[in-house]
Amino acid sequence: MDKTDMAVLLLRSRETDLEKEWLKELNRRKIPVIVLINVEEQRPIRNRLLTEEESGVVIAPVMADKGPTEAIIPAVIDKTPAAPITLVQIEKEPEATLTFYQAEQLAAEIKEMFGLTPLLINAKTGQGLELFWDELVGQHRFLEKESSICGDLVRAGDSVLLVMPQDIQAPKGRLILPQVQTIRELLDRQCLVQCVTAENVSIALKQMKRPPHLIITDSQLFAQIAAIKPEESLLTSFSVLFSRYKGDIEAFLEGAKILKKLPPNAEILIAEACTHRPLQEDIGRVKLPRLLKQKLGSEIKLVITAGADFPQDLGGFDLIIHCGGCMFNRRHVMSRVARAKEQDVPITNYGIAIAALTGILDQIVY
């Protein structure tokens, strides 16, 4: 569930102990969930024994001649085509199929226990998906609007300068994902965007009639850009912006405070989200470790993980430094933050840590 933004739970028998455990865990993790109850009894909905108000059940018209799963999954893909879908089959033999009356009783029980209003469907008779589609699309749109990369740092008409080094780590012929996503958001918000490489920052600033409202740089260039930026221009980095967009900015700021208090033999976990093949001067495997040893001493111990190799047991670490998480959804990054908090291990991210190590954390915005 670490990666799950939203769940759809299908109930189709009277035996629901396992499904209720799933609902407890989904609620604990604050993951939105849509509960569906498949009804096998073939009779009109108007013959239900409980009214909708009495049972707390919403009935929606499903695709005929298909089983529950075959009816639901194509609809999910059709309504949210960009959303990755993982189907988890609970392996058990249903005790019995549900009549409308039994389904309504189960729905009332689910509502009382979890505060959720299930949708009743009937995959065989063709009743079932319209309200489910509406709920699914509504949840998906809510998730999309939940946060933005630049937050309240910019308004329409603001000039934004993006400093994007095209070094050996940059993919040939294209930009990296955080840069593309940030540019797209700024354009959507009607900002005036100019992109330059590190060596052209001074030239760009001289050619501008007015200083840019905001400068977004690669975190490794923080010290260089802070030294030459106009006083009135705000400064941040892609990684810092993603620390709020994908993670918990307050937790990351608190974690950065630990850097100056670490013992000489501190053990630090550097966690990469992606599994790219590292080249020369890789930020997570070369540049950040070098900066940490320069600022904290050569005796510190560094453990570097990538992709899914994030440890379950974090007890041996004094600090975790996570990447911006551009290849993860926010839920995945937040699950790692939660794990760190549960085990009382401070956590920060690349951009925040680099700003703190270079002494300019109080000069950046987020």
Side-chain angles (χ1 to χ4, degrees):
M1 296 187 193
D2 287 349
K3 306 175 185 179
T4 303
D5 281 321
M6 179 174 63
V8 177
L9 186 64
L10 175 65
L11 310 180
R12 53 178 180 166
S13 78
R14 286 171 289 177
E15 179 56 54
T16 58
D17 290 345
L18 185 55
E19 287 87 346
K20 288 173 183 174
E21 290 302 314
W22 277 73
L23 284 172
K24 288 178 184 177
E25 183 63 16
L26 288 164
N27 275 359
R28 186 185 74 82
R29 294 176 180 244
K30 299 180 180 179
I31 297 174
V33 57
I34 301 172
V35 181
L36 303 178
I37 301 178
N38 187 60
V39 183
E40 294 291 339
E41 184 180 14
Q42 297 189 31
R43 64 183 179 86
I45 286 177
R46 57 184 171 82
N47 291 332
R48 291 178 295 127
L49 298 180
L50 298 179
T51 67
E52 209 166 275
E53 289 183 357
E54 291 171 329
S55 65
V57 178
V58 177
I59 305 294
V62 175
M63 299 162 61
D65 302 322
K66 292 182 181 291
T69 300
E70 290 82 358
I72 293 167
I73 297 305
V76 174
I77 295 172
D78 178 61
K79 296 297 179 179
T80 56
I85 297 169
T86 301
L87 174 62
V88 179
Q89 180 72 40
I90 300 176
E91 295 295 339
K92 67 176 187 177
E93 198 65 36
E95 187 178 274
T97 57
L98 293 170
T99 66
F100 277 110
Y101 177 68
Q102 292 167 337
E104 288 171 326
Q105 288 185 317
L106 176 58
E109 182 182 351
I110 295 295
K111 185 176 178 66
E112 182 178 354
M113 292 180 65
F114 301 101
L116 299 169
T117 302
L119 305 179
L120 264 61
I121 65 172
N122 189 318
K124 288 185 177 180
T125 63
Q127 295 176 308
L129 283 184
E130 288 302 325
L131 289 181
F132 170 53
W133 288 342
D134 292 342
E135 180 71 13
L136 187 68
V137 171
Q139 289 279 5
H140 189 253
R141 287 174 179 164
F142 173 76
L143 291 171
E144 285 183 330
K145 293 180 179 179
E146 201 170 37
S147 60
S148 65
I149 296 171
C150 296
D152 58 0
L153 296 179
V154 296
R155 296 178 300 177
D158 282 342
S159 174
V160 183
L161 179 64
L162 276 60
V163 184
M164 308 186 306
Q166 302 303 301
D167 53 24
I168 192 172
Q169 288 298 316
K172 185 177 180 180
R174 58 187 176 87
L175 302 174
I176 61 175
L177 185 59
Q179 295 168 353
V180 173
Q181 290 180 304
T182 303
I183 292 171
R184 176 57 193 266
E185 180 178 302
L186 290 170
L187 293 175
D188 286 345
R189 296 177 67 170
Q190 303 301 309
C191 293
L192 308 177
V193 183
Q194 184 169 349
C195 305
V196 296
T197 55
E199 55 271 19
N200 290 320
V201 175
S202 296
I203 298 173
L205 290 172
K206 288 178 182 178
Q207 290 181 351
M208 289 181 169
K209 291 183 178 180
R210 292 191 302 270
H213 170 72
L214 175 65
I215 299 176
I216 306 174
T217 181
D218 192 285
S219 297
Q220 60 189 302
L221 299 175
F222 259 146
Q224 176 184 334
I225 304 304
I228 63 174
K229 82 171 187 69
E231 185 176 347
E232 54 266 61
S233 296
L234 303 176
L235 177 64
T236 191
S237 78
F238 295 99
S239 182
V240 169
L241 292 178
F242 271 69
S243 70
R244 181 183 60 180
Y245 178 55
K246 292 292 184 78
D248 184 339
I249 182 66
E250 298 302 328
F252 292 156
L253 290 170
E254 285 298 313
K257 294 177 182 178
I258 303 296
L259 283 164
K260 295 180 179 179
K261 304 175 184 178
L262 291 173
N265 62 342
E267 189 161 348
I268 300 174
L269 173 64
I270 298 177
E272 283 269 6
C274 58
T275 55
H276 65 278
R277 180 175 176 270
L279 301 174
Q280 298 175 20
E281 295 301 295
D282 182 78
I283 180 67
R285 295 166 178 82
V286 179
K287 291 182 179 180
L288 182 56
R290 183 168 59 210
L291 181 60
L292 286 166
K293 292 195 174 185
Q294 286 175 352
K295 299 295 183 179
L296 305 180
S298 58
E299 294 183 13
I300 61 169
K301 300 175 184 177
L302 302 175
V303 176
I304 302 172
T305 63
D309 295 334
F310 193 74
Q312 289 291 331
D313 183 2
L314 302 170
F317 297 107
D318 297 286
L319 177 67
I320 301 165
I321 306 178
H322 205 286
C323 72
C326 66
M327 300 303 294
F328 282 2
N329 60 6
R330 188 171 190 271
R331 182 73 64 174
H332 201 171
V333 176
M334 289 301 292
S335 71
R336 294 186 169 187
V337 173
R339 191 181 307 172
K341 287 181 177 181
E342 288 170 0
Q343 300 183 40
D344 200 25
V345 180
I347 184 168
T348 188
N349 98 323
Y350 283 15
I352 300 292
I354 291 172
L357 290 168
T358 53
I360 65 165
L361 185 55
D362 59 343
Q363 300 177 40
I364 66 171
V365 294
Y366 36 79

